[in-house]
Amino acid sequence: MGLQLQKQQRDVNQQNENDHDQQSQFLNKDNSNRASPRDRRKTLTPSKTSDKTLLIGSSILHGINPKGLKHGVHKHSKSGATIQSTKDDITMYDLKNFQRVIIYTGGNDASRKTDIELFEERYCQLVEFIRKQHPACKVDMCTVCPREDVDVTDYNKIIAEIAETYSLKCVDIYTAFTDN
């Protein structure tokens, strides 16, 4: 019994080491646990970036299980995310590891009745940040789903205009909920 228990403990220790190794491959090698969040850029394993997609935004994305999507999709969602917090969060990633970034944000800004010009300015800053970090990266912007607490029509018009200005794809989520 004693030898079997020791073997089980060794197996558990080995599995823990394997789990640690798998998790650490997503972080830059030069980062330490004491680094600020901005310095702890997340990276994917060094494989082809052609199939890597970052899906980032608000809690609407919580229900999406990346394991059910094509290989290489990384989801980052946060309750209460605003355009600014999404931009702050995206700085943690090395965008050169992604071929595509899909953005779903703005609903919480609309709910907080963010000034429409400030909304546009922040969204442009987010797009420009992505473009600066990885000019070849494809960026898809999603319109905001209908909300009970605010009319998002004007905010969605801004999202569509920004997508057109920057020659980006605009995924019209709003219409999917409202078209019969």
Side-chain angles (χ1 to χ4, degrees), residues 104-123:
Y104 182 92
T105 192
N108 292 311
D109 297 90
S111 179
R112 294 173 185 165
K113 306 210 182 330
T114 299
D115 177 75
I116 201 78
E117 290 177 5
L118 182 59
F119 180 92
E120 181 177 14
E121 180 182 324
R122 287 180 177 164
Y123 224 121

Side-chain angles (χ1 to χ4, degrees), residues 3 30 39 79 84 108 116 129 132 137 147 155 167 175:
L3 290 176
D30 60 344
D39 293 335
S79 295
Q84 185 61 50
N108 292 311
I116 201 78
F129 175 81
K132 182 178 178 185
C137 185
R147 295 179 64 113
Y155 295 96
S167 301
T175 302

